[in-house]
Amino acid sequence: MRILLATLPALALAACSGAVATPASNQPGARSAPVAQTGDPAHPVVVELYQSQGCSSCPPADRVVNRLADRRDVIPLSFAVTYWDDLGWKDIFADPAYTARQWDYARTAGRPQVATPQVIVNGRDAVLGSHESELNAAIARNVVKDGPSIAAQGSGVAIGAGKAAHAIVWAVRYDPRTLNVAVKAGENEGVNIPHRNIVKQLVQIGSWSGKAAQYSLPAAPAGLQTAILVQNGKGGPILSAAKI
């Protein structure tokens, strides 16, 4: 794992690049066969990969999480962070908001640093993204079956009743295609990195206290899919999640 002694000013780094991401979803071999399920398809586990195209340790973790993309028992989401952008290559998908989200997890868990490639499993476990067996074990032990129901309702979403909480409701928009990025500088210079389920938008659509509620959804950008996460505070555990 690439450990970065990142401090709070790192959150202000910008991420922008003119590099082109090439969709590869129709190319032979673009998608790997999914590995065996270790969770519960009725209660999918959220797998958040924090990675950067500027980190030489990240491509193996990208490949591991890419293999999860077709599984029904998980919602894999790839968040590109900004704190490697000063090493010669700015990640074309990175956003300071995603770096801030990883820091929220670190603070909540009492970790003084953030690192890549890190996977946060259902807001609870932090594992090394390239360790597939460890990740599958974390998925299996973090299935949550008592969270509120989540269902599309017209142009919005309905969250069912459940245990009292002070939760945030997030809409996560991600690209399900394989996007190949040819890295032209930095630690991964000359490497072609395929990404799946790259997060393009993270929007807080409301809060949830345990009572049934309905929420409006902003229009999704073309080609993106939506996952809804009910999370017990910033950096807290995921109480329920669904693709809608």
Side-chain angles (χ1 to χ4, degrees), residues 146-149 158-169 204-215 229-233 239:
D146 59 354
S149 62
I159 309 296
K163 297 178 181 178
H166 298 283
I168 298 169
V169 183
Q204 182 176 339
I205 61 172
S207 59
W208 181 81
S209 63
K211 297 180 180 179
Q214 292 78 42
Y215 305 85
L229 314 182
V230 181
Q231 184 170 21
N232 198 15
L239 304 178

Side-chain angles (χ1 to χ4, degrees), residues 35 47 63-71 74 76 135-136 139:
V35 296
V47 173
R63 291 191 290 270
V64 167
V65 175
N66 287 352
R67 286 196 286 271
L68 300 177
D70 293 318
R71 284 174 49 172
V74 296
L135 176 53
N136 275 312
I139 291 169

Side-chain angles (χ1 to χ4, degrees), residues 11-79:
L11 302 185
L13 292 175
C16 180
S17 174
V20 176
T22 305
S25 57
N26 295 321
Q27 295 180 6
R31 298 189 178 189
S32 301
V35 296
Q37 293 182 5
T38 58
D40 178 0
H43 303 90
V45 172
V46 179
V47 173
E48 302 179 40
L49 170 64
Y50 290 89
Q51 51 78 29
S52 172
Q53 294 157 8
C55 166
S56 61
S57 299
C58 286
D62 291 323
R63 291 191 290 270
V64 167
V65 175
N66 287 352
R67 286 196 286 271
L68 300 177
D70 293 318
R71 284 174 49 172
R72 296 183 300 115
D73 62 328
V74 296
I75 301 176
L77 301 168
S78 183
F79 288 90

Side-chain angles (χ1 to χ4, degrees), residues 103-172:
W103 268 110
D104 286 337
Y105 282 124
R107 291 190 193 94
T108 298
R111 293 187 292 271
Q113 303 165 359
V114 291
T116 56
Q118 183 181 64
V119 172
I120 305 295
V121 181
N122 246 11
R124 294 169 170 82
D125 279 0
V127 301
L128 183 60
S130 54
H131 287 186
E132 192 163 15
S133 59
E134 183 181 351
L135 176 53
N136 275 312
I139 291 169
R141 68 175 173 263
N142 280 286
V143 176
V144 177
K145 297 188 177 184
D146 59 354
S149 62
I150 300 174
Q153 186 176 72
S155 59
V157 63
I159 309 296
K163 297 178 181 178
H166 298 283
I168 298 169
V169 183
W170 300 99
V172 186

